[in-house]
Amino acid sequence: PGVRVNKQDFRFSQIHEFTMKTSLAFLACVAGASAFAPSTASSKTTSILKASDYESLVGMDVETGKKFFDPWNLSQWIPAEHARKAELANGRSAMLATVGWFWPKFVGTFDSNDVTTTDPIEAIMQADPQWWAQFILLCGVGEFVKYQGELEGKSYTGDGEPVLDWTKTWGKLSDAKKEDIRLRELKNGRLAMLGIASFVSAHFIPGSVPALYEGGPWSL
């Protein structure tokens, strides 16, 4: 029993430290990005919005019966354009996070003196503050590029000239192909958000995700 209490205390300290570090990193990213954010004041946000504003968005497919899914009726408070941008940003971040979760264990780690573990959460704790500074700076640069692109009339949601198009192929695609790519990205992002949430939950609360129980075939 004594060993079990110690493990629980250790997990609690991990959760506390993880929460503190990620909260600080998030606040720093928000503070950096807000310097480049355009004013959100608009006549659209002063009145209650309608679910019909979402009907023109790509993303309603077989998973929801090809209908708009909003059981909590949040669409009346969140502008459709903002919701789509947030969903894409979170989905893309989750896809990167999912790759990062598996990479150390199955591919290996970089040569490092500070991070010596393949456990994703422990790696966050071990990361040098210099790495966090570089990461936050990178996030700020990314937000600036997106903001600058929007000022130039470009888009990072796939519904116009893209902010970044390294291969210069987006403009050559048919409208049907573009819509298919946008839908695929949305679905992959949604799956990744569910996935990374499951991994973190299974790490801190063993047994909370049936397929990821400790010692099981899918255990991480």
Side-chain angles (χ1 to χ4, degrees), residues 43-78:
S43 58
K44 214 175 179 186
T45 58
T46 56
S47 59
I48 293 181
L49 303 169
K50 297 177 294 184
S52 59
D53 296 335
Y54 286 75
E55 292 177 358
S56 61
L57 297 180
V58 173
M60 289 170 276
D61 207 40
V62 292
E63 296 84 1
T64 59
K66 295 191 174 183
K67 297 178 181 179
F68 179 56
F69 182 73
D70 183 22
W72 291 347
N73 202 29
L74 297 178
S75 58
Q76 64 175 319
W77 309 112
I78 306 173

Side-chain angles (χ1 to χ4, degrees), residues 21 28 33 74 76 115 137 157 161 208:
K21 282 193 173 183
L74 297 178
Q76 64 175 319
V115 179
L137 178 61
T157 58
E161 182 184 354
S208 60

Side-chain angles (χ1 to χ4, degrees), residues 13-25 125 204:
S13 65
Q14 267 196 321
I15 294 173
H16 178 71
E17 188 175 355
F18 173 74
T19 302
M20 289 297 294
K21 282 193 173 183
T22 50
S23 297
L24 289 172
M125 311 303 180
F204 288 118

Side-chain angles (χ1 to χ4, degrees), residues 88-156:
L88 275 173
N90 290 327
R92 289 164 180 169
S93 297
M95 286 188 277
L96 289 173
T98 300
V99 173
W101 190 278
F102 286 100
W103 186 277
K105 187 172 182 179
F106 294 100
V107 179
T109 60
F110 297 105
D111 185 20
S112 172
N113 294 324
D114 55 338
V115 179
T116 59
T117 179
T118 58
D119 183 289
I121 302 300
E122 289 184 14
I124 292 175
M125 311 303 180
Q126 293 179 1
D128 189 275
Q130 178 180 321
W131 179 89
W132 280 104
Q134 294 172 348
F135 174 72
I136 292 170
L137 178 61
L138 178 63
C139 291
V141 170
E143 290 300 314
F144 175 76
V145 170
K146 287 162 58 177
Y147 173 66
Q148 187 65 32
E150 284 197 303
L151 290 180
E152 298 171 357
K154 298 179 181 179
S155 169
Y156 59 90

